[in-house]
Amino acid sequence: MPTTLNNIAKQGANGAAMMPVIQGVGRAAIEIAAVLRGAVFRGALGGAGSENVQGEQQQMLDVLSDEIFLDEMRSTGFVCAVGSEEQEELLVIEEYSHADYLVLVDPLDGSSNLDVDGPVGTIFSVVKRKTPNSDTPHVSDTLQSGKEVIAAGYVLYGPSLMMVCSVGDGVHGYTFNPGSARFELSHGDIRIPETGGYYSVNESNKDKWLDGMGDHLDRMKADTGLGMRYVGAMVADMHRTLLKGGVFLYPADEKNTTGKLRLLYEAIPMGFIMEQAGGKAMSSGIAVLDIEPEALHQRVPVYLGSHTNVDSLLG
Ligand code: AHG
Ligand code: MN
Ligand code: MN
Ligand code: MN
């Protein structure tokens, strides 16, 4: 069982190259965690005064986290480009435009929690380029289904600083140890419980859901009696679902008719982790990992969790 990020990165088919990339994510996580702590005293909370391609008012910490993450990916020397929630276009890393890997990232997930000191996260996914190394990386290099993912995971900035990731041979959780100043294995080989847990959804949208999902949820609630927990940050809601079981869902609704969550840097990495942990990851009538992406910021409905709960919800 890998005991530090160095060990996990050596596993999997692309192990040697994944080590610097996953270590880079770890460094970015430590830097972002430091920026989050005490941000209020540096006037770093609040809006950046800019809107991102999602139509969201960017938080200053969205922008700063994005810069930190990009810098750490550049310093690995293995990443040729980054597709980020906070950048409309693919960001080519010129010095390493010949490198093999692209990283998709939600640099700060759940940023609406920032001003109420709620949990936030970072979500990432790594794919190998399709274009020749001699070419400039192209956005088409990012449009690969979840079956092509080489590594993926998330960082949870909560009471502790955790990274949960997989290189395709199971899911491992690492907690930052202030004593040693590094991530150390704390949750080896995470498997989602088959039963129990919670359902997790923003139920206030229920009347606007498409595809009769309101009735589906009412039936699942009646059948299972599950309690409900919802934090409003996908990373936190996903992490609880992974450890306790149940189902996390964000259906399409009249406002977000193709769903709210982004396929490439939210649904696919979380779907990869969920399947690697023995769970299920569905979108509209198709497994998340089978969706062929068409656009960098494409949105999809998401139903992630224990097989029995996802099947009971969608059945
Ligand atoms: P982000 O902060 O990266 O834009 O993501 C927000 C997402 C996700 O974290 C969460 O599950 C969802 O938005 C919450 O949406 P609602 O506030 O509509 O419930
Ligand atoms: Mn956002
Ligand atoms: Mn997000
Ligand atoms: Mn985000």
Side-chain angles (χ1 to χ4, degrees):
M1 188 87 62
T3 53
T4 69
L5 291 188
N6 301 359
N7 303 99
I8 181 159
K10 286 182 197 140
Q11 325 251 322
N14 297 270
M18 282 308 99
M19 173 139 56
V21 173
I22 289 184
Q23 285 174 326
V25 176
R27 286 195 306 274
I30 293 166
E31 289 165 46
I32 292 170
V35 164
L36 291 172
R37 300 274 183 273
V40 65
F41 297 118
R42 295 190 303 279
L45 287 182
S50 49
E51 189 177 281
N52 62 14
V53 66
Q54 325 285 340
E56 301 165 342
Q57 288 307 311
Q58 285 179 308
Q59 300 296 298
M60 284 184 270
L61 290 170
D62 279 322
V63 175
L64 189 50
S65 302
D66 188 45
E67 288 166 3
I68 290 169
F69 192 87
L70 178 65
D71 281 348
E72 288 302 348
M73 290 302 100
R74 176 182 291 111
S75 70
T76 68
F78 282 79
V79 177
C80 62
V82 172
S84 166
E85 176 200 355
E86 304 305 336
Q87 302 287 343
E88 182 161 6
E89 308 299 334
L90 181 71
L91 274 168
V92 175
I93 297 177
E94 295 303 341
E95 310 92 300
Y96 298 106
S97 62
H98 57 284
D100 288 337
Y101 298 97
L102 291 95
V103 180
L104 286 306
V105 66
D106 176 355
L108 201 62
D109 173 64
S111 39
S112 62
N113 278 349
L114 285 169
D115 57 357
V116 293
D117 204 27
V120 292
T122 297
I123 310 171
F124 72 96
S125 174
V126 186
V127 293
K128 204 161 193 174
R129 72 187 298 164
K130 296 284 187 196
T131 52
N133 294 64
S134 51
D135 287 8
T136 300
H138 186 264
V139 67
S140 60
D141 282 310
T142 67
L143 304 182
Q144 299 184 49
S145 80
K147 293 188 296 292
E148 308 294 327
V149 164
I150 288 170
Y154 58 84
V155 178
L156 177 55
Y157 307 96
S160 65
L161 174 58
M162 263 201 85
M163 186 189 303
V164 174
C165 58
S166 173
V167 290
D169 62 345
V171 178
H172 307 294
Y174 299 83
T175 298
F176 182 73
N177 180 345
S180 62
R182 65 182 188 174
F183 284 95
E184 294 178 0
L185 186 71
S186 55
H187 299 67
D189 199 16
I190 299 174
R191 305 291 294 170
I192 185 170
E194 260 312 301
T195 57
Y198 301 92
Y199 74 94
S200 183
V201 63
N202 181 341
E203 214 159 345
S204 68
N205 295 328
K206 191 161 84 170
D207 297 342
K208 299 193 292 293
W209 289 345
L210 306 183
D211 312 321
M213 280 312 301
D215 296 337
H216 281 260
L217 181 69
D218 288 343
R219 186 171 37 75
M220 189 208 74
K221 285 164 63 177
D223 291 351
T224 62
L226 284 184
M228 198 279 263
R229 290 281 188 283
Y230 191 69
V231 174
M234 185 184 195
V235 171
D237 287 318
M238 164 77 181
H239 188 63
R240 180 199 51 253
T241 305
L242 193 62
L243 296 188
K244 303 285 186 190
V247 57
F248 167 78
L249 58 150
Y250 208 110
D253 61 36
E254 292 158 10
K255 180 169 167 252
N256 295 301
T257 54
T258 59
K260 174 178 184 180
L261 298 177
R262 281 55 60 106
L263 174 61
L264 286 182
Y265 41 82
E266 290 175 317
I268 284 179
M270 292 310 205
F272 180 78
I273 290 290
M274 190 50 85
E275 288 202 2
Q276 283 288 320
K280 194 161 188 176
M282 292 299 290
S283 186
S284 278
I286 182 173
V288 168
L289 301 191
D290 289 340
I291 299 174
E292 289 299 336
E294 293 165 5
L296 182 56
H297 301 291
Q298 178 177 349
R299 298 171 188 260
V300 293
V302 171
Y303 308 94
L304 305 173
S306 310
H307 273 263
T308 47
N309 296 116
V310 173
D311 290 344
S312 145
L313 175 68
L314 299 179

